[in-house]
Amino acid sequence: MNYDYSKIEKKWAEKWMKEKTFTTDLNNVKKPYYALFMFPYPSAEGLHIGNFYAFTCVDVIAKYKRLRGFDVFEPMGFDAFGIHSENYALKIGQTPKEMLQRTTENFKKQIINAGIGCDWDNTVNTTIPLYYKWTQWIFIKLFEKGLAFQKEALLNWCPSCLTVLADEQIEDGVCERCKTVPEKKNMKQWFFKITNYADRLLKGLEDMDWSEITKSAQKNWIGRSIGTEVDFTINREKVTVFTTRADTLFGCTYFVLSPEHPLVEKITTKEQKEEVNKYLKKAAAKSELERIEFKEKTGVFTGSFAINPVNNEQVPVWIADYVLMSYGTGAIMAVPAHDERDLEFAKKYKIEIKEVVSGGEIPFTEEGVMINSGRYNGTSSEEAREEITDWLIKNNLGRRKVNYRLRDWCISRQRYWGPPIPVVYCNDCGTVPVKEEELPVLLPDLKKDWEPAGDGKGPLSKVEKFMKTTCPRCKKEAVREADVMDNFLDSAWYFFRYLSSKNEKAIFDKKLGEKWLPVDIYIGGNEHAVLHLMYTRFITMIFHDLGLVNFDNPFLKFRANGMILNEGKKMSKSKGNVINPEEYGEKTGYDALKTYLLFLGPLSDDKSFSDRGILGAKRWIEKVFSLKDKIEEDYKDNKKVLLKLNKTIIEIEEDLEDQKYNTAIAKIMELTNVLAKERKISKDTWLKFLPLIAPFAPMLAEEMWEIAGNKKSIFKENNWPEIDKNAIKETTVNLVIQVNGKVRETIVVEKDIAENDLQKLVLENEKIKKWIKDSEIKKTVIIKNKLVNIVI
Ligand code: ANZ
Ligand code: ZN
């Protein structure tokens, strides 16, 4: 009989839900294990194969831990606020609320049908008031600590999403969502002071068990660099630069201001005004990426000169857009002999190049020996750097400085679909946070005019009933903030809320936090390395400082999974090559789909999906199913089978603890083949085999488990097999085969194998057959457990 996967998978999906197999009594556990999925944006009709793969990777380890007797918490929810969902609603012409009712139901149904073992009793949806009340509470706490503040800044404005974006949401120079090149706009916005935590975020990385690529992305994003601030003077005005190479000060031959530098206007001479203004306009139209990469360096002379504090030399002041206002001080001392970008610029504009560190060809950017630098000549550049800095400090012309690339997190969005920023503006009292007991500030349920207008104000600004309020302090008339908060704040703390999703009194129950947190394992895409995964660390540190938790790192283990490609190509709707997991669930079954995806390659690699490949997984499932006809209660398996079984258990344990799912499956398939060759299999072996396949093909395993006479789910008890130490005692030996005294092959055979059997094995060996060919065998010498020599 063939394996009727669709009937059996449906049966278990329903039964597991009905019996709440994967629901956890959070208060009542002995061995907690918290496995976390990246909860999805329900901003499409259903699950993407990428979500499905990442979910499966978490589910495998969760199921394995269940089999090992852990109390696993495996919750799922919806990251349903934000631009992703709102843009999708706009596209299909529904309100976000209408759309989400349908899409969240569908996501849930798909996850259940796929046999992914979520706890749907402890779920979150970021758009429900009881959730975003606490998102707003976090804002208030940050505000109280002075870590939520408003400032005017040059920001990324996405002309297609019609809102400002955080720096982290600009990827490769374009909007992370819609791939539009952002404009720079000067706007007053709300920020979180994540830069106060730069050092802590950096240091924390050191002993975190996270994927290296994620950690290095965060390290680069934080971008700590140690250097010196040096004060130059332009027209008697002090202008500070940041440099990591104070040793090259004598080699400075020009000075550069960023186009946005506040001094530009003041120091530009009359003669240069027109040209400068023309340049500023052009620079403003460029994206940041264009300015720092690829493009030819451009600039314009201001007509003024800057005085170098170490030698009082005058150098021309230029404006150039390769200097960014957002880093350091927005001004640099340019040293063409020792900096590539400066050299390119100096050559183009025929500016002097002066070597001050000797040791190699120009641009020489390494350490060397000082020349052309007055009394520092002859010392090493490292020493000179310290000495010159000390001299600057002594003369009040500079200071040591650590700089970070990390910027504060811009959290206001001029959109509708998010939690309103809980702030009120009062004529008398100024900016006043909403009182904690008055949270949440409800997002009005708009049926129309919720679309972004693009005028720099959020749609809520036009909703009078929402905007008009009273001041929490003086009770006079006041207006609300019209912007909503960045979606990445919703998702920065959801794993805390899973523990207490219905709690009205606290953001989460501290006792439960102590029991369950930090999260044991988290798996997801690395595209969130400096977004979600940085913000969660920041918010966790805030929680730490509020006394809610006693750790800084929310995820003990994080693994970044690779992408699933379709026949080697990235999937996209426009190419029409998007793989829908539901389709394969129907065509081949979810167990086969999961096994196939996991078998494709290591977790972190990009992997290519193909229709042909998945059939192999389906055949394996059928093979396992057919094994059940060989089971005999009191049968005694031979040594070879027991050895293979027990070795496989050991290897799979190692692989699973390490998330090496592909090699684990390969070993299970080998074991399956060994079993398939046997005429009979003992029930004992079968009951040890099923838990091994259960993390990967849970519905098949559960069905076989039931057929074998078990009443309780395979995942409900400590069903992982114990290793039989006797079975893996040295029972094999490496044996050398010689032909006419020359070593031709080594084989592994059972210890003390009978001579007849051994002879047969040797003569069947392909390599040996080739050596013997048609020759007559004169003699066979056997040295027990060591060697066979065939004389021809
Ligand atoms: C003089 C110099 C001489 C520099 C030399 C380098 C080599 P990191 O390591 O990334 O911190 N810089 C400073 N502010 C800048 C800005 N706003 N836009 C563009 N470039 C800026 O880089 C620090 C170096 O980057 C600084 O050291 C400065 O150039 C440049 F042989 O100063 B340096
Ligand atoms: Zn007031």
Side-chain angles (χ1 to χ4, degrees):
M1 198 185 67
N2 263 343
Y3 180 60
D4 189 350
Y5 64 84
S6 63
K7 192 174 126 212
I8 288 163
E9 292 192 350
K10 189 161 176 279
K11 164 183 159 188
W12 287 105
E14 281 168 10
K15 202 161 171 196
W16 284 337
M17 273 307 276
K18 209 174 98 222
E19 294 178 358
K20 294 188 185 281
T21 309
F22 302 117
T23 301
T24 313
D25 178 359
L26 293 173
N27 283 299
N28 206 355
V29 294
K30 285 201 193 73
K31 280 170 80 181
Y33 187 89
Y34 191 165
L36 186 65
F37 308 97
M38 280 190 175
F39 70 157
Y41 303 128
S43 59
E45 296 303 328
L47 273 186
H48 181 273
I49 193 87
N51 309 123
F52 182 83
Y53 175 65
F55 291 173
T56 300
C57 288
V58 173
D59 191 51
V60 167
I61 187 76
K63 287 205 161 78
Y64 167 67
K65 292 287 175 181
R66 289 180 202 278
L67 289 159
R68 302 221 68 168
F70 283 84
D71 301 293
V72 174
F73 184 37
E74 204 183 347
M76 180 68 85
F78 295 105
D79 190 7
F81 258 148
I83 298 184
H84 316 72
S85 296
E86 195 180 326
N87 283 0
Y88 184 66
L90 279 167
K91 196 173 121 197
I92 62 170
Q94 288 185 320
T95 66
K97 208 171 170 183
E98 280 170 331
M99 169 209 94
L100 284 167
Q101 254 156 19
R102 195 183 63 250
T103 59
T104 51
E105 270 315 301
N106 196 44
F107 269 77
K108 181 172 171 183
K109 190 193 87 205
Q110 286 186 323
I111 293 165
I112 291 168
N113 288 349
I116 292 170
C118 302
D119 181 342
W120 288 102
D121 284 5
N122 296 294
T123 180
V124 300
N125 180 326
T126 53
T127 65
I128 61 168
L130 189 53
Y131 185 91
Y132 70 74
K133 163 181 172 173
W134 297 104
T135 310
Q136 292 172 335
W137 180 87
I138 293 170
F139 178 96
I140 306 269
K141 291 293 143 192
L142 282 154
F143 184 90
E144 285 168 359
K145 284 175 166 283
L147 294 169
F149 67 103
Q150 255 179 321
K151 76 171 174 196
E152 182 115 7
L154 207 57
L155 292 168
N156 312 299
W157 170 266
C158 176
S160 153
C161 290
L162 301 174
T163 178
V164 295
L165 300 172
D167 284 353
E168 288 82 3
Q169 283 166 309
I170 306 300
E171 275 173 8
D172 299 329
V174 298
C175 168
E176 168 245 349
R177 271 326 290 166
C178 70
K179 311 297 172 206
T180 308
V181 178
E183 294 161 8
K184 284 279 173 190
K185 259 198 187 178
N186 221 350
M187 293 176 74
K188 196 171 182 190
Q189 299 288 319
W190 282 97
F191 289 85
F192 284 167
K193 204 140 191 48
I194 191 171
T195 51
N196 275 18
Y197 288 71
D199 235 9
R200 201 158 146 194
L201 286 164
L202 187 67
K203 287 224 181 77
L205 289 172
E206 279 164 23
D207 42 38
M208 277 162 49
D209 180 14
W210 285 29
S211 289
E212 278 310 317
I213 52 163
T214 312
K215 291 207 285 183
S216 73
Q218 293 205 350
K219 189 169 170 224
N220 291 334
W221 187 259
I222 296 165
R224 182 176 202 264
S225 77
I226 302 165
T228 311
E229 278 188 357
V230 186
D231 302 333
F232 280 61
T233 11
I234 308 176
N235 305 342
R236 296 225 180 78
E237 190 127 16
K238 184 170 100 178
V239 191
T240 304
V241 301
F242 172 72
T243 177
T244 47
R245 293 296 302 267
D247 48 309
T248 63
L249 258 165
F250 288 86
C252 168
T253 55
Y254 67 99
F255 189 99
V256 187
L257 292 176
S258 154
E260 295 84 16
H261 199 285
L263 273 187
V264 164
E265 216 193 302
K266 218 174 189 180
I267 65 150
T268 301
T269 58
K270 266 202 209 101
E271 295 74 30
Q272 293 298 100
K273 201 118 241 167
E274 205 186 312
E275 219 185 317
V276 165
N277 283 343
K278 231 166 57 193
Y279 183 76
L280 294 181
K281 256 200 206 125
K282 260 198 277 173
K286 283 192 208 168
S287 73
E288 191 147 294
L289 186 79
E290 255 182 297
R291 287 174 52 167
I292 50 178
E293 279 172 22
F294 328 123
K295 298 287 146 66
E296 199 188 322
K297 308 260 164 309
T298 60
V300 58
F301 179 46
T302 61
S304 288
F305 291 82
I307 299 171
N308 184 339
V310 293
N311 54 10
N312 289 322
E313 257 176 38
Q314 297 220 349
V315 293
V317 179
W318 287 68
I319 298 166
D321 63 10
Y322 75 93
V323 175
L324 305 173
M325 197 57 223
S326 55
Y327 188 63
T329 63
I332 66 160
M333 62 177 225
V335 186
H338 303 290
D339 182 282
E340 271 166 52
R341 293 170 306 171
D342 297 349
L343 181 66
E344 194 192 321
F345 191 87
K347 276 187 177 162
K348 180 169 170 188
Y349 293 106
K350 310 222 159 28
I351 301 171
E352 191 195 345
I353 299 162
K354 188 175 155 200
E355 189 181 1
V356 290
V357 181
S358 73
E361 241 172 80
I362 275 169
F364 181 61
T365 57
E366 285 152 49
E367 306 292 348
V369 178
M370 302 298 296
I371 53 169
N372 297 326
S373 299
R375 62 189 177 89
Y376 299 99
N377 286 346
T379 49
S380 76
S381 51
E382 288 112 320
E383 262 174 77
R385 187 150 60 241
E386 297 312 312
E387 285 174 21
I388 291 176
T389 304
D390 287 338
W391 182 87
L392 288 167
I393 293 168
K394 211 170 76 205
N395 291 286
N396 206 13
L397 293 164
R399 59 219 70 86
R400 289 201 164 76
K401 170 89 184 171
V402 177
N403 248 330
Y404 296 91
R405 223 154 260 286
L406 184 68
R407 301 270 73 91
D408 282 327
W409 176 10
C410 171
I411 57 121
S412 30
R413 295 290 177 278
Q414 293 72 47
R415 298 287 297 242
Y416 165 58
W417 196 237
I421 295 177
V423 152
V424 165
Y425 302 103
C426 165
N427 274 337
D428 295 340
C429 310
T431 305
V432 185
V434 173
K435 287 214 171 97
E436 237 178 275
E437 54 278 16
E438 273 158 34
L439 295 177
V441 177
L442 284 175
L443 181 70
D445 193 3
L446 300 183
K447 299 280 186 300
K448 58 181 183 35
D449 296 331
W450 53 272
E451 302 85 356
D455 54 3
K457 288 189 212 126
L460 293 180
S461 64
K462 289 162 201 102
V463 185
E464 214 180 298
K465 252 176 51 200
F466 173 80
M467 292 301 284
K468 261 177 92 172
T469 184
T470 53
C471 170
R473 222 166 268 163
C474 70
K475 306 286 174 237
K476 278 192 219 136
E477 244 182 45
V479 293
R480 286 193 192 281
E481 166 63 57
D483 284 356
V484 298
M485 289 191 273
D486 179 10
N487 175 219
F488 281 108
L489 181 61
D490 305 322
S491 58
W493 69 280
Y494 72 108
F495 49 95
F496 292 97
R497 189 65 186 169
Y498 276 139
L499 297 173
S500 310
S501 56
K502 294 157 204 124
N503 194 326
E504 297 185 13
K505 301 248 153 50
I507 187 159
F508 66 92
D509 183 302
K510 232 174 122 178
K511 280 251 164 59
L512 285 177
E514 277 159 23
K515 195 167 270 181
W516 286 98
L517 296 168
V519 166
D520 290 281
I521 193 163
Y522 196 25
I523 296 173
N526 201 47
E527 64 272 19
H528 288 301
V530 299
L531 289 154
H532 168 64
L533 290 167
M534 181 86 93
Y535 298 142
T536 51
R537 291 185 60 214
F538 169 58
I539 294 296
T540 302
M541 287 172 186
I542 299 291
F543 283 10
H544 175 277
D545 296 351
L546 286 170
L548 295 172
V549 297
N550 61 5
F551 52 83
D552 269 4
N553 173 19
F555 315 124
L556 291 179
K557 187 179 208 173
F558 171 76
R559 288 295 176 270
N561 66 267
M563 261 191 306
I564 303 294
L565 308 169
N566 189 352
E567 306 270 359
K569 291 197 192 68
K570 231 178 146 162
M571 280 177 250
S572 76
K573 287 206 182 103
S574 59
K575 277 190 240 151
N577 65 346
V578 177
I579 295 166
N580 176 2
E582 204 164 27
E583 183 190 324
Y584 286 89
E586 276 158 29
K587 268 208 280 208
T588 61
Y590 285 105
D591 282 344
L593 177 60
K594 289 180 192 173
T595 310
Y596 171 64
L597 288 171
L598 296 166
F599 187 54
L600 271 177
L603 175 81
S604 59
D605 286 9
D606 289 345
K607 292 167 278 282
S608 189
F609 187 98
S610 86
D611 263 346
R612 245 175 312 112
I614 197 168
L615 294 178
K618 191 160 177 274
R619 275 196 299 275
W620 171 70
I621 301 239
E622 278 156 8
K623 198 183 246 175
V624 170
F625 179 69
S626 69
L627 289 182
K628 75 170 189 331
D629 302 329
K630 299 174 186 257
I631 316 300
E632 198 172 292
E633 193 93 25
D634 300 317
Y635 181 71
K636 248 181 100 71
D637 302 288
N638 68 45
K639 271 192 184 158
K640 209 176 84 197
V641 167
L642 292 177
L643 177 70
K644 184 76 189 170
L645 172 72
N646 283 283
K647 272 197 164 163
T648 307
I649 298 170
I650 296 175
E651 289 168 348
I652 290 181
E653 282 177 11
E654 279 171 17
D655 283 349
L656 282 176
E657 294 289 353
D658 247 1
Q659 285 72 54
K660 289 188 186 140
Y661 302 148
N662 57 323
T663 55
I665 291 176
K667 285 161 198 160
I668 291 177
M669 289 184 174
E670 267 177 43
L671 175 61
T672 310
N673 289 340
V674 168
L675 295 178
K677 287 208 187 95
E678 297 298 314
R679 225 166 35 82
K680 288 179 181 172
I681 304 167
S682 74
K683 176 118 183 237
D684 190 51
T685 290
W686 184 239
L687 292 182
K688 286 182 168 182
F689 174 74
L690 292 179
L692 303 185
I693 68 165
F696 310 99
M699 304 196 263
L700 169 70
E702 189 79 298
E703 178 72 10
M704 300 296 101
W705 189 253
E706 188 184 64
I707 291 176
N710 295 291
K711 294 270 169 317
K712 262 194 184 170
S713 163
I714 191 170
F715 300 109
K716 271 299 178 198
E717 307 261 296
N718 197 344
N719 282 324
W720 191 256
E722 291 221 8
I723 294 153
D724 176 1
K725 296 228 172 71
N726 281 326
I728 48 167
K729 269 206 192 126
E730 262 322 318
T731 55
T732 60
V733 288
N734 287 333
L735 198 126
V736 173
I737 309 175
Q738 298 180 333
V739 179
N740 287 349
K742 287 212 172 100
V743 178
R744 297 302 183 191
E745 172 76 313
T746 52
I747 56 171
V748 181
V749 296
E750 230 174 283
K751 206 170 164 187
D752 301 330
I753 184 173
E755 289 200 357
N756 279 351
D757 293 341
L758 179 59
Q759 219 150 25
K760 230 173 93 191
L761 263 182
V762 169
L763 295 179
E764 275 169 9
N765 183 291
E766 289 301 321
K767 270 201 201 155
I768 300 303
K769 263 198 215 159
K770 272 190 204 134
W771 285 106
I772 300 177
K773 279 203 191 124
D774 309 322
S775 315
E776 186 197 335
I777 297 173
K778 294 206 173 129
K779 199 165 72 175
T780 307
V781 184
I782 296 179
I783 303 175
K784 213 174 157 194
N785 292 330
K786 282 226 169 78
L787 176 143
V788 180
N789 185 17
I790 299 166
V791 183
I792 54 174

